Amino acid sequence: MAVEEVPEEQDHTSKKKKAEEEYEKAFENNFNSILVCPEVTWKKKVTPGSLMKALIKSGGGSAKPVDGDQVIFHCTIRTMDGVTVNSTRLEHGGNGHPNRYIMGKSKMLLGLCEGIPTMLKGEVAMFKIKPELHYAEDDCPVATPENFPKDDELHFELEMLDFFKAKIVNEDMGVVKKIIGEGQGWECPREPYEVEAWITAKDANGKVILPRMKEPYYFTFGKSEIPKGLEMGIGTMAKGEKAVIFVNDCYLTKSSLMQIPKGLQEVQFEVELVHFIQVRDMLGDGRLIKRQFMMEEFELRWFLTCQELTYNLALVSSNGLAVDRPLEHRHFGSGKHFFVLLYAGEFPMDCPLQDSLLRVHYKGMLLNEDKTVFYDTRADNDGEPLEFCSGEGLVPEGFEMCVRLMLPGEVSLVTCPPDYAYDKFKRPSNVPEGAHVQWEIELLGFETPKDWTGLNFQNIMDEVEKIKSTGNRLFKEGKFELAKAKYEKVLREYNHVNPQDDEEGKTFLNSRNTLHLNVAACYQKMGEYRKSIETCNKVLDANPVHVKAFYRRGMAYMLNGDFEEAREDFNTMIKFDKSSEPEANAALQKLKQKEQEVEKKARKQFKGLFDKKPGEISEIGTIPADEPNIHDQEPAETQAKDDSHVETEGLGLFARLWPSGRRIFAALGLNRCSIL
């Protein structure tokens, strides 16, 4: 008798039915352990009976997930009759990748938000969830496919694989870090630091896709030599730290050092940060580079208590430290303190940011094939270090910029372009013009400026004279920015000086006015005329008859093209002080010449504009070099007419044809232009 074959479709149906019966039986066996989740948690809609739990397999330990933890779990969703509608498991049609969420951060179903915190590691549980607590929830944060039974009560089978405290590297949670072993120190690598690290990688199922190499990876931060997400994670690590960095597919960018297979939704990078070298791009264009390659064990004393951090914060604030570079956001200590304590990655109280007496050893080399040494303090200075005061232009600008960001005991290698080396500084005889140089610098120590606290008025004024004399020397040498910094430093200190009598008050006021006018002179030399005018106004606010302030402001007005304002200031000088008449007249004569120069320039610029009859088109052009303008040879007396004559005759026909033109020309400073 022949055996009747069972159709394949019928066999599949019977297996599915058998699996559903086993599921129902298993669920019924655990029904007695179903617990009602507490009523009224952080959502009032969680009511008794709307979320129930059945324990299928016990977990280990006593810890349970809390906000901020990353939870990793498999999830299978079934209808009440046991039909699987969604799953992460391969055997139920999923991709085999477990779910990863950050408690309190990720978008999750309300039922899972309440159920997961009741689970232990390794636990398997069944949750029976009403529609209003899963996909039928108002404003449900999770999308569902078509024909999904979101309005039905569903069973969620969860297996808690792992959970741990996670560091969210970026806001969209595409990069998350799990710390395995704490590192040392407070600094983390950033662009363009040079990093050395052991790195391996696995896919979401734990399959190794990047095995451990014989040597650690060595790469430059910020040059896309490793995937973007991995670099972001390493940027939060301290030296010696071990961590697992979870990176999703949108941050798995191409890299030159490691090849990651395509199509992976997530990769787990196991990283041990061996070492990194602090590299600073001082100008932001790659020309002036400071590379720290030796550092004493110095940072340990910065592991302070929160109370000590607060105390040091008060010290920094009381010293009035001016920070003019972006602050690094390094999260340690408490509250807001790190924003003030950190300056571009360094602690300001241990870098000579202020003008200080510095002691350094250095070796200067040319960037040629032989790295020719042109100076070495240990060989050419009888072994004695170089001592100099910063902020006085005594060393090349690039040299000083880098030393100001060094710590005592640090040795750095500085690569410097010619314009920040010796092209604008006294060049050693064995350094050719336009040479790129390299300095190996060791900062032995530094002394900060004398604290004025406790000094009497006369001692303070003696210190002021020293600083002001240095500023005057720098001004004469054409180092206007450095000179201005010296004057402004004294003005900042003056905020804490209180004269005790009228005589001291008069001396103090005169000194402060002089410093303000010196700052105004620096601004003029730097071409910042508006700032020069504003600085002169500070003097005139305190002393409305200060003749020198009127002179300095008048010169700034003239250089800025504000001729009427300049003339008014020069005339005011004579009004308040007859002895200033020679100086004022000389300034007025210079103003007259300046106006004539502007008028000639305007004539050349607008030559031909009025040569055509009304209705014809004329182009504005410049006068060719070989075609002199006859009006340029007119005597100054002929050119300098009074304003009333210019208004009636100068614009004449043009004013009638284009009435608003006169006002526009006046706004451009061309109201003394004559019509050719």
Side-chain angles (χ1 to χ4, degrees), residues 360-399:
V360 302
H361 269 305
Y362 81 94
K363 179 168 64 175
M365 298 164 283
L366 299 178
L367 280 181
N368 53 22
E369 293 182 1
D370 300 327
K371 289 289 183 72
T372 305
V373 177
F374 60 84
Y375 191 83
D376 188 343
T377 53
R378 290 183 168 88
D380 302 321
N381 198 36
D382 298 326
E384 294 296 321
L386 170 68
E387 289 194 1
F388 69 96
C389 290
S390 56
E392 297 188 7
L394 300 175
V395 295
E397 186 176 358
F399 189 102

mmCIF file of all heavy atoms in Angstrom, residues 360-399:
data_model
loop_
_atom_site.group_PDB
_atom_site.id
_atom_site.type_symbol
_atom_site.label_atom_id
_atom_site.label_comp_id
_atom_site.label_asym_id
_atom_site.label_seq_id
_atom_site.Cartn_x
_atom_site.Cartn_y
_atom_site.Cartn_z
ATOM 1 N N VAL A 360 63.916 79.092 29.403
ATOM 2 C CA VAL A 360 63.797 77.988 28.456
ATOM 3 C C VAL A 360 65.174 77.580 27.940
ATOM 4 O O VAL A 360 66.090 78.398 27.854
ATOM 5 C CB VAL A 360 62.899 78.358 27.251
ATOM 6 C CG1 VAL A 360 61.516 78.764 27.691
ATOM 7 C CG2 VAL A 360 63.532 79.470 26.413
ATOM 8 N N HIS A 361 65.285 76.299 27.635
ATOM 9 C CA HIS A 361 66.370 75.809 26.797
ATOM 10 C C HIS A 361 65.762 75.567 25.421
ATOM 11 O O HIS A 361 64.624 75.080 25.316
ATOM 12 C CB HIS A 361 66.947 74.506 27.344
ATOM 13 C CG HIS A 361 68.098 74.702 28.288
ATOM 14 N ND1 HIS A 361 69.223 75.417 27.941
ATOM 15 C CD2 HIS A 361 68.296 74.263 29.565
ATOM 16 C CE1 HIS A 361 70.066 75.416 28.956
ATOM 17 N NE2 HIS A 361 69.533 74.741 29.956
ATOM 18 N N TYR A 362 66.481 75.898 24.364
ATOM 19 C CA TYR A 362 65.957 75.605 23.035
ATOM 20 C C TYR A 362 67.085 75.337 22.055
ATOM 21 O O TYR A 362 68.224 75.782 22.240
ATOM 22 C CB TYR A 362 65.062 76.750 22.538
ATOM 23 C CG TYR A 362 65.791 77.938 21.956
ATOM 24 C CD1 TYR A 362 66.021 78.041 20.579
ATOM 25 C CD2 TYR A 362 66.251 78.968 22.758
ATOM 26 C CE1 TYR A 362 66.674 79.130 20.033
ATOM 27 C CE2 TYR A 362 66.905 80.060 22.231
ATOM 28 C CZ TYR A 362 67.113 80.137 20.860
ATOM 29 O OH TYR A 362 67.773 81.215 20.332
ATOM 30 N N LYS A 363 66.733 74.584 21.043
ATOM 31 C CA LYS A 363 67.640 74.310 19.932
ATOM 32 C C LYS A 363 66.919 74.675 18.645
ATOM 33 O O LYS A 363 65.799 74.216 18.397
ATOM 34 C CB LYS A 363 68.047 72.828 19.912
ATOM 35 C CG LYS A 363 68.985 72.473 18.763
ATOM 36 C CD LYS A 363 69.598 71.075 18.949
ATOM 37 C CE LYS A 363 68.581 69.984 18.907
ATOM 38 N NZ LYS A 363 69.182 68.634 18.979
ATOM 39 N N GLY A 364 67.537 75.550 17.841
ATOM 40 C CA GLY A 364 66.937 75.986 16.583
ATOM 41 C C GLY A 364 67.550 75.266 15.409
ATOM 42 O O GLY A 364 68.781 75.150 15.303
ATOM 43 N N MET A 365 66.676 74.775 14.505
ATOM 44 C CA MET A 365 67.131 74.017 13.339
ATOM 45 C C MET A 365 66.461 74.544 12.082
ATOM 46 O O MET A 365 65.304 74.996 12.127
ATOM 47 C CB MET A 365 66.794 72.527 13.509
ATOM 48 C CG MET A 365 67.470 71.864 14.702
ATOM 49 S SD MET A 365 66.698 70.288 15.140
ATOM 50 C CE MET A 365 65.226 70.867 15.994
ATOM 51 N N LEU A 366 67.173 74.478 10.983
ATOM 52 C CA LEU A 366 66.587 74.796 9.685
ATOM 53 C C LEU A 366 65.860 73.567 9.155
ATOM 54 O O LEU A 366 66.307 72.438 9.358
ATOM 55 C CB LEU A 366 67.673 75.221 8.691
ATOM 56 C CG LEU A 366 68.494 76.460 9.046
ATOM 57 C CD1 LEU A 366 69.552 76.695 7.970
ATOM 58 C CD2 LEU A 366 67.598 77.686 9.175
ATOM 59 N N LEU A 367 64.760 73.799 8.473
ATOM 60 C CA LEU A 367 64.000 72.678 7.907
ATOM 61 C C LEU A 367 64.583 72.287 6.549
ATOM 62 O O LEU A 367 63.903 72.352 5.519
ATOM 63 C CB LEU A 367 62.522 73.032 7.790
ATOM 64 C CG LEU A 367 61.707 72.912 9.077
ATOM 65 C CD1 LEU A 367 60.253 73.274 8.821
ATOM 66 C CD2 LEU A 367 61.785 71.507 9.642
ATOM 67 N N ASN A 368 65.847 71.888 6.556
ATOM 68 C CA ASN A 368 66.465 71.364 5.342
ATOM 69 C C ASN A 368 66.743 69.884 5.532
ATOM 70 O O ASN A 368 66.376 69.297 6.562
ATOM 71 C CB ASN A 368 67.754 72.135 5.009
ATOM 72 C CG ASN A 368 68.715 72.187 6.201
ATOM 73 O OD1 ASN A 368 68.638 71.361 7.110
ATOM 74 N ND2 ASN A 368 69.614 73.148 6.205
ATOM 75 N N GLU A 369 67.377 69.278 4.559
ATOM 76 C CA GLU A 369 67.610 67.839 4.633
ATOM 77 C C GLU A 369 68.470 67.458 5.829
ATOM 78 O O GLU A 369 68.270 66.414 6.447
ATOM 79 C CB GLU A 369 68.265 67.347 3.337
ATOM 80 C CG GLU A 369 67.361 67.455 2.113
ATOM 81 C CD GLU A 369 68.027 66.910 0.872
ATOM 82 O OE1 GLU A 369 69.185 66.436 0.969
ATOM 83 O OE2 GLU A 369 67.386 66.948 -0.194
ATOM 84 N N ASP A 370 69.436 68.298 6.170
ATOM 85 C CA ASP A 370 70.368 67.979 7.253
ATOM 86 C C ASP A 370 69.882 68.453 8.619
ATOM 87 O O ASP A 370 70.551 68.196 9.626
ATOM 88 C CB ASP A 370 71.732 68.612 6.959
ATOM 89 C CG ASP A 370 72.334 68.104 5.658
ATOM 90 O OD1 ASP A 370 72.091 66.927 5.328
ATOM 91 O OD2 ASP A 370 73.024 68.885 4.973
ATOM 92 N N LYS A 371 68.726 69.157 8.660
ATOM 93 C CA LYS A 371 68.239 69.744 9.907
ATOM 94 C C LYS A 371 69.369 70.517 10.601
ATOM 95 O O LYS A 371 69.724 70.271 11.759
ATOM 96 C CB LYS A 371 67.685 68.667 10.833
ATOM 97 C CG LYS A 371 66.378 68.036 10.391
ATOM 98 C CD LYS A 371 65.240 69.044 10.540
ATOM 99 C CE LYS A 371 63.901 68.440 10.172
ATOM 100 N NZ LYS A 371 63.421 67.474 11.168
ATOM 101 N N THR A 372 69.945 71.453 9.872
ATOM 102 C CA THR A 372 71.092 72.222 10.351
ATOM 103 C C THR A 372 70.736 73.000 11.615
ATOM 104 O O THR A 372 69.768 73.755 11.639
ATOM 105 C CB THR A 372 71.566 73.204 9.266
ATOM 106 O OG1 THR A 372 71.833 72.477 8.069
ATOM 107 C CG2 THR A 372 72.817 73.931 9.714
ATOM 108 N N VAL A 373 71.531 72.809 12.663
ATOM 109 C CA VAL A 373 71.320 73.518 13.927
ATOM 110 C C VAL A 373 71.999 74.881 13.849
ATOM 111 O O VAL A 373 73.203 74.973 13.613
ATOM 112 C CB VAL A 373 71.888 72.714 15.111
ATOM 113 C CG1 VAL A 373 71.736 73.501 16.409
ATOM 114 C CG2 VAL A 373 71.181 71.364 15.223
ATOM 115 N N PHE A 374 71.218 75.959 14.029
ATOM 116 C CA PHE A 374 71.809 77.297 13.973
ATOM 117 C C PHE A 374 71.995 77.912 15.358
ATOM 118 O O PHE A 374 72.701 78.912 15.503
ATOM 119 C CB PHE A 374 70.988 78.233 13.084
ATOM 120 C CG PHE A 374 69.555 78.428 13.524
ATOM 121 C CD1 PHE A 374 69.221 79.357 14.496
ATOM 122 C CD2 PHE A 374 68.531 77.687 12.942
ATOM 123 C CE1 PHE A 374 67.913 79.547 14.888
ATOM 124 C CE2 PHE A 374 67.213 77.876 13.327
ATOM 125 C CZ PHE A 374 66.904 78.804 14.303
ATOM 126 N N TYR A 375 71.371 77.329 16.406
ATOM 127 C CA TYR A 375 71.604 77.817 17.763
ATOM 128 C C TYR A 375 71.125 76.775 18.758
ATOM 129 O O TYR A 375 70.087 76.129 18.559
ATOM 130 C CB TYR A 375 70.869 79.136 18.015
ATOM 131 C CG TYR A 375 71.289 79.825 19.300
ATOM 132 C CD1 TYR A 375 72.428 80.620 19.327
ATOM 133 C CD2 TYR A 375 70.570 79.652 20.471
ATOM 134 C CE1 TYR A 375 72.837 81.246 20.505
ATOM 135 C CE2 TYR A 375 70.958 80.278 21.642
ATOM 136 C CZ TYR A 375 72.095 81.070 21.660
ATOM 137 O OH TYR A 375 72.497 81.675 22.815
ATOM 138 N N ASP A 376 71.904 76.612 19.840
ATOM 139 C CA ASP A 376 71.546 75.687 20.914
ATOM 140 C C ASP A 376 72.012 76.321 22.216
ATOM 141 O O ASP A 376 73.206 76.560 22.409
ATOM 142 C CB ASP A 376 72.222 74.326 20.696
ATOM 143 C CG ASP A 376 71.715 73.271 21.681
ATOM 144 O OD1 ASP A 376 71.114 73.656 22.694
ATOM 145 O OD2 ASP A 376 71.938 72.068 21.429
ATOM 146 N N THR A 377 71.071 76.607 23.114
ATOM 147 C CA THR A 377 71.442 77.270 24.366
ATOM 148 C C THR A 377 72.412 76.434 25.179
ATOM 149 O O THR A 377 73.262 76.983 25.893
ATOM 150 C CB THR A 377 70.184 77.550 25.217
ATOM 151 O OG1 THR A 377 69.439 76.329 25.375
ATOM 152 C CG2 THR A 377 69.305 78.592 24.572
ATOM 153 N N ARG A 378 72.313 75.131 25.084
ATOM 154 C CA ARG A 378 73.209 74.269 25.867
ATOM 155 C C ARG A 378 74.644 74.294 25.339
ATOM 156 O O ARG A 378 75.587 74.002 26.080
ATOM 157 C CB ARG A 378 72.672 72.844 25.892
ATOM 158 C CG ARG A 378 71.398 72.684 26.734
ATOM 159 C CD ARG A 378 70.941 71.242 26.778
ATOM 160 N NE ARG A 378 69.903 71.044 27.784
ATOM 161 C CZ ARG A 378 68.611 71.202 27.561
ATOM 162 N NH1 ARG A 378 68.201 71.591 26.356
ATOM 163 N NH2 ARG A 378 67.733 71.002 28.524
ATOM 164 N N ALA A 379 74.806 74.631 24.052
ATOM 165 C CA ALA A 379 76.147 74.675 23.459
ATOM 166 C C ALA A 379 76.631 76.100 23.227
ATOM 167 O O ALA A 379 77.821 76.392 23.379
ATOM 168 C CB ALA A 379 76.148 73.908 22.128
ATOM 169 N N ASP A 380 75.723 77.000 22.859
ATOM 170 C CA ASP A 380 76.120 78.354 22.458
ATOM 171 C C ASP A 380 75.901 79.400 23.527
ATOM 172 O O ASP A 380 76.210 80.571 23.333
ATOM 173 C CB ASP A 380 75.343 78.760 21.194
ATOM 174 C CG ASP A 380 75.581 77.793 20.051
ATOM 175 O OD1 ASP A 380 76.725 77.346 19.897
ATOM 176 O OD2 ASP A 380 74.614 77.502 19.319
ATOM 177 N N ASN A 381 75.330 79.011 24.660
ATOM 178 C CA ASN A 381 75.057 79.983 25.724
ATOM 179 C C ASN A 381 75.682 79.527 27.038
ATOM 180 O O ASN A 381 75.123 79.757 28.116
ATOM 181 C CB ASN A 381 73.539 80.174 25.879
ATOM 182 C CG ASN A 381 73.167 81.438 26.627
ATOM 183 O OD1 ASN A 381 73.822 82.463 26.487
ATOM 184 N ND2 ASN A 381 72.113 81.359 27.425
ATOM 185 N N ASP A 382 76.832 78.850 26.939
ATOM 186 C CA ASP A 382 77.551 78.328 28.113
ATOM 187 C C ASP A 382 76.658 77.425 28.961
ATOM 188 O O ASP A 382 76.809 77.346 30.190
ATOM 189 C CB ASP A 382 78.088 79.473 28.977
ATOM 190 C CG ASP A 382 79.088 80.333 28.230
ATOM 191 O OD1 ASP A 382 79.835 79.766 27.391
ATOM 192 O OD2 ASP A 382 79.117 81.550 28.462
ATOM 193 N N GLY A 383 75.717 76.758 28.278
ATOM 194 C CA GLY A 383 74.843 75.845 28.998
ATOM 195 C C GLY A 383 73.749 76.512 29.790
ATOM 196 O O GLY A 383 72.945 75.833 30.448
ATOM 197 N N GLU A 384 73.680 77.829 29.745
ATOM 198 C CA GLU A 384 72.670 78.566 30.506
ATOM 199 C C GLU A 384 71.381 78.693 29.687
ATOM 200 O O GLU A 384 71.422 78.861 28.471
ATOM 201 C CB GLU A 384 73.183 79.959 30.862
ATOM 202 C CG GLU A 384 74.353 79.959 31.822
ATOM 203 C CD GLU A 384 73.973 79.389 33.171
ATOM 204 O OE1 GLU A 384 72.842 79.676 33.646
ATOM 205 O OE2 GLU A 384 74.795 78.658 33.757
ATOM 206 N N PRO A 385 70.220 78.627 30.341
ATOM 207 C CA PRO A 385 68.954 78.788 29.605
ATOM 208 C C PRO A 385 68.754 80.235 29.178
ATOM 209 O O PRO A 385 69.376 81.159 29.702
ATOM 210 C CB PRO A 385 67.896 78.361 30.624
ATOM 211 C CG PRO A 385 68.525 78.632 31.953
ATOM 212 C CD PRO A 385 70.000 78.368 31.780
ATOM 213 N N LEU A 386 67.858 80.419 28.228
ATOM 214 C CA LEU A 386 67.467 81.755 27.794
ATOM 215 C C LEU A 386 66.406 82.282 28.751
ATOM 216 O O LEU A 386 65.423 81.596 29.045
ATOM 217 C CB LEU A 386 66.910 81.701 26.371
ATOM 218 C CG LEU A 386 66.238 82.971 25.847
ATOM 219 C CD1 LEU A 386 67.274 84.074 25.651
ATOM 220 C CD2 LEU A 386 65.495 82.706 24.545
ATOM 221 N N GLU A 387 66.597 83.490 29.247
ATOM 222 C CA GLU A 387 65.599 84.156 30.080
ATOM 223 C C GLU A 387 65.062 85.370 29.330
ATOM 224 O O GLU A 387 65.838 86.177 28.814
ATOM 225 C CB GLU A 387 66.200 84.602 31.417
ATOM 226 C CG GLU A 387 66.524 83.462 32.358
ATOM 227 C CD GLU A 387 66.803 83.949 33.779
ATOM 228 O OE1 GLU A 387 66.717 85.174 33.988
ATOM 229 O OE2 GLU A 387 67.085 83.111 34.643
ATOM 230 N N PHE A 388 63.758 85.485 29.262
ATOM 231 C CA PHE A 388 63.153 86.639 28.592
ATOM 232 C C PHE A 388 61.768 86.886 29.162
ATOM 233 O O PHE A 388 61.136 85.979 29.721
ATOM 234 C CB PHE A 388 63.081 86.422 27.077
ATOM 235 C CG PHE A 388 62.107 85.359 26.653
ATOM 236 C CD1 PHE A 388 60.812 85.676 26.245
ATOM 237 C CD2 PHE A 388 62.480 84.020 26.647
ATOM 238 C CE1 PHE A 388 59.916 84.699 25.852
ATOM 239 C CE2 PHE A 388 61.594 83.033 26.252
ATOM 240 C CZ PHE A 388 60.314 83.372 25.850
ATOM 241 N N CYS A 389 61.316 88.103 29.016
ATOM 242 C CA CYS A 389 59.963 88.472 29.444
ATOM 243 C C CYS A 389 59.033 88.383 28.239
ATOM 244 O O CYS A 389 59.293 88.999 27.199
ATOM 245 C CB CYS A 389 59.930 89.879 30.020
ATOM 246 S SG CYS A 389 60.755 90.019 31.618
ATOM 247 N N SER A 390 57.961 87.643 28.390
ATOM 248 C CA SER A 390 56.999 87.536 27.296
ATOM 249 C C SER A 390 56.221 88.837 27.162
ATOM 250 O O SER A 390 56.108 89.625 28.102
ATOM 251 C CB SER A 390 56.042 86.369 27.542
ATOM 252 O OG SER A 390 55.392 86.500 28.797
ATOM 253 N N GLY A 391 55.685 89.044 25.965
ATOM 254 C CA GLY A 391 54.910 90.250 25.703
ATOM 255 C C GLY A 391 55.738 91.465 25.390
ATOM 256 O O GLY A 391 55.209 92.573 25.328
ATOM 257 N N GLU A 392 57.069 91.276 25.191
ATOM 258 C CA GLU A 392 57.935 92.426 24.915
ATOM 259 C C GLU A 392 58.644 92.306 23.581
ATOM 260 O O GLU A 392 59.549 93.089 23.287
ATOM 261 C CB GLU A 392 58.961 92.580 26.051
ATOM 262 C CG GLU A 392 58.325 92.881 27.389
ATOM 263 C CD GLU A 392 59.345 93.213 28.463
ATOM 264 O OE1 GLU A 392 60.541 93.331 28.135
ATOM 265 O OE2 GLU A 392 58.940 93.352 29.640
ATOM 266 N N GLY A 393 58.257 91.336 22.769
ATOM 267 C CA GLY A 393 58.836 91.202 21.437
ATOM 268 C C GLY A 393 60.309 90.828 21.451
ATOM 269 O O GLY A 393 61.039 91.174 20.526
ATOM 270 N N LEU A 394 60.762 90.103 22.487
ATOM 271 C CA LEU A 394 62.176 89.760 22.624
ATOM 272 C C LEU A 394 62.544 88.465 21.907
ATOM 273 O O LEU A 394 63.727 88.159 21.757
ATOM 274 C CB LEU A 394 62.542 89.650 24.114
ATOM 275 C CG LEU A 394 62.325 90.935 24.929
ATOM 276 C CD1 LEU A 394 62.596 90.692 26.405
ATOM 277 C CD2 LEU A 394 63.200 92.058 24.392
ATOM 278 N N VAL A 395 61.555 87.682 21.522
ATOM 279 C CA VAL A 395 61.781 86.450 20.748
ATOM 280 C C VAL A 395 60.809 86.468 19.576
ATOM 281 O O VAL A 395 59.826 87.220 19.581
ATOM 282 C CB VAL A 395 61.569 85.188 21.622
ATOM 283 C CG1 VAL A 395 62.599 85.108 22.723
ATOM 284 C CG2 VAL A 395 60.154 85.155 22.184
ATOM 285 N N PRO A 396 61.029 85.639 18.543
ATOM 286 C CA PRO A 396 60.088 85.604 17.420
ATOM 287 C C PRO A 396 58.663 85.298 17.884
ATOM 288 O O PRO A 396 58.448 84.597 18.881
ATOM 289 C CB PRO A 396 60.653 84.488 16.537
ATOM 290 C CG PRO A 396 62.104 84.462 16.843
ATOM 291 C CD PRO A 396 62.213 84.791 18.304
ATOM 292 N N GLU A 397 57.700 85.809 17.154
ATOM 293 C CA GLU A 397 56.294 85.701 17.559
ATOM 294 C C GLU A 397 55.837 84.253 17.676
ATOM 295 O O GLU A 397 55.143 83.881 18.616
ATOM 296 C CB GLU A 397 55.410 86.448 16.554
ATOM 297 C CG GLU A 397 53.954 86.512 16.954
ATOM 298 C CD GLU A 397 53.116 87.330 15.998
ATOM 299 O OE1 GLU A 397 53.689 87.895 15.033
ATOM 300 O OE2 GLU A 397 51.888 87.403 16.201
ATOM 301 N N GLY A 398 56.207 83.404 16.704
ATOM 302 C CA GLY A 398 55.809 82.005 16.754
ATOM 303 C C GLY A 398 56.382 81.294 17.964
ATOM 304 O O GLY A 398 55.719 80.437 18.580
ATOM 305 N N PHE A 399 57.605 81.618 18.337
ATOM 306 C CA PHE A 399 58.264 81.039 19.511
ATOM 307 C C PHE A 399 57.460 81.363 20.767
ATOM 308 O O PHE A 399 57.130 80.488 21.567
ATOM 309 C CB PHE A 399 59.689 81.607 19.603
ATOM 310 C CG PHE A 399 60.571 80.956 20.628
ATOM 311 C CD1 PHE A 399 61.522 80.033 20.241
ATOM 312 C CD2 PHE A 399 60.470 81.283 21.973
ATOM 313 C CE1 PHE A 399 62.356 79.437 21.185
ATOM 314 C CE2 PHE A 399 61.286 80.699 22.918
ATOM 315 C CZ PHE A 399 62.239 79.768 22.521
#
